[in-house]
Amino acid sequence: MYIHLDCNNFFVSCELVSRPELKGTPVVVANNNDNNGGIILALNQEAKAVGLKRGNPIFQVTKIIEQNKVTVIDVHHQLYRDISHHIMDEVRETEMVLDFVQYSVDEFFGMMPDDDPVRLREYLQRLKDLILRKTDIPVSCGAGLSYTLAKTATWFAKHYPAYQGICIMSGEQREKALSMLDIKDVWGIGRRSFKRLAELGIQTALDFANRKEAWVKRLFGVNGVRTWKELNGVPAITIASHDRQKSIMYSRTFAHMTSSKEVLMRELSNYASSAARRMREQQSLCQTVTLFLATNRHRQDLAQYSADETLRLSAATDDSTLIIKAVEKLLESLFRENYQYKQAGVILGQLQSNKSVQLDLFAINDLDEKERHKRLMQAIDGINKRFGKNHIHFAIQGSEADFSDQPAGFMRPKKVES
DNA sequence: TCTGGGGTCCTAGGACCC
DNA sequence: TCTGGGGTCCTAGGACCC
């Protein structure tokens, strides 16, 4: 049997670890909160109960928030990454999960060489208890004959309190479960497919699973067929190991728009620097650097512009100086005067291991230079690890007061963390 | 009159996920 | 006033090869 574990309301649960007094009260996590902008990214049961939804712009629901004394917390992505690492490490250490594979920041899959429902339930209960004890994060879990069915089981575990957070979907229960599952809630069916399926009269997961394979292939391609097989209890999906990403993105929506190239460059150099640091942490090099810019698409009264461009480096690198230089070059190419920019980001692409480097043909005599850069990066990371993020930085990143460690906003004083 | 048949690689954009 | 940030994979079409 495939098993699946998923943290409950992950972002909110992470915040409640350090603010336990808020447990039992409505809490949401939003971005750009201190600017009264932003949207709801995550919410707990209590917040859902008063009518809030993921994706609500804060300014549209201020009344509900005030009337119900909802606590709104600013998002802390790094905290969630750290807690995620903690959870995954704890689970790995127990060696309880066969074929462990992390799927996202807050969920993972595994296998269980047993389909006895009683033993499976005990086993999942032990995992669930372990994670709660070690990290204070509640999880829900499911088991089924494929990844998709295991994830479906977790969906039932979350939506039906009677399961108490654990749902085992045996082969016999499969059809009944799928007949109760709306097709839009199936993993792999997004908004587009849902719309087409609705037009074709397909309402439940079972309706879909009962169609012929050729029909599915014709209308929904290979991915559709994979989902179809999985729903029928035939494993068809492989999940790539999460330990080495293929790209790293760092982007922000700004609290205030800007039309200044200098301001953009300062922000972007910070994003590049943060992305490069994360890349070095996972011991990768990037071969490409992408930059994108966009105006506020919600402001129809303003001129719109968005663009992106990718620069291929002559050799893969993890050197912040080279990456920042690439970003400067890209900004030079993409920037247009007289637009109000609202969003920008840097993507480091085609990541590869730093263990096997393809040398730059034209820099082959520059090994000393390479070594010096490498040591420079190590020194910068070491200092910042010891004295705090951005303790030392490149001049182009701006003065300390400019750093927006938290989601966006120019000129906001740096938050000091003890 | 009549203009092939087979490949590979790259990229942009779509669709999906959390 | 105010509308997220991060990823993956697939496919179609263009450019190129013989």
Side-chain angles (χ1 to χ4, degrees), chain A residues 339-362:
Chain A
Y339 286 106
Q340 295 288 319
Y341 294 95
K342 177 68 174 170
Q343 204 181 13
V346 171
I347 304 170
L348 307 181
Q350 295 193 15
L351 300 194
Q352 47 197 267
S353 166
N354 67 3
K355 298 287 184 283
S356 54
V357 191
Q358 176 68 51
L359 290 175
D360 182 350
L361 181 62
F362 302 105

Side-chain angles (χ1 to χ4, degrees), chain A residues 57-155:
Chain A
I58 295 286
F59 74 91
Q60 285 177 3
V61 290
T62 41
K63 231 181 206 142
I64 300 181
I65 288 173
E66 280 163 17
Q67 281 169 358
N68 297 282
K69 298 196 170 63
V70 178
T71 307
V72 182
I73 301 177
D74 216 351
V75 67
H76 298 97
H77 289 288
Q78 191 56 50
L79 172 70
Y80 315 144
R81 275 194 287 270
D82 291 345
I83 292 180
S84 175
H85 283 142
H86 186 190
I87 293 171
M88 301 303 161
D89 287 346
E90 289 290 351
V91 171
R92 259 188 284 254
E93 252 175 50
T94 65
E95 297 183 358
M96 280 173 70
V97 182
L98 293 175
D99 295 326
F100 171 93
V101 50
Q102 185 178 351
Y103 172 67
S104 73
V105 68
D106 75 331
E107 61 189 307
F108 63 89
F109 289 98
M111 298 284 291
M112 178 71 179
D114 191 347
D115 60 1
D116 179 72
V118 177
R119 280 196 296 274
L120 258 172
R121 173 166 277 277
E122 280 172 12
Y123 165 82
L124 289 175
Q125 187 71 54
R126 264 169 54 212
L127 266 176
K128 188 168 152 50
D129 292 345
L130 172 102
I131 295 170
L132 188 63
R133 194 172 67 245
K134 297 276 193 180
T135 68
D136 214 13
I137 301 288
V139 300
S140 300
C141 27
L145 291 169
S146 64
Y147 283 132
T148 303
L149 290 176
K151 211 163 145 60
T152 301
T154 303
W155 188 92

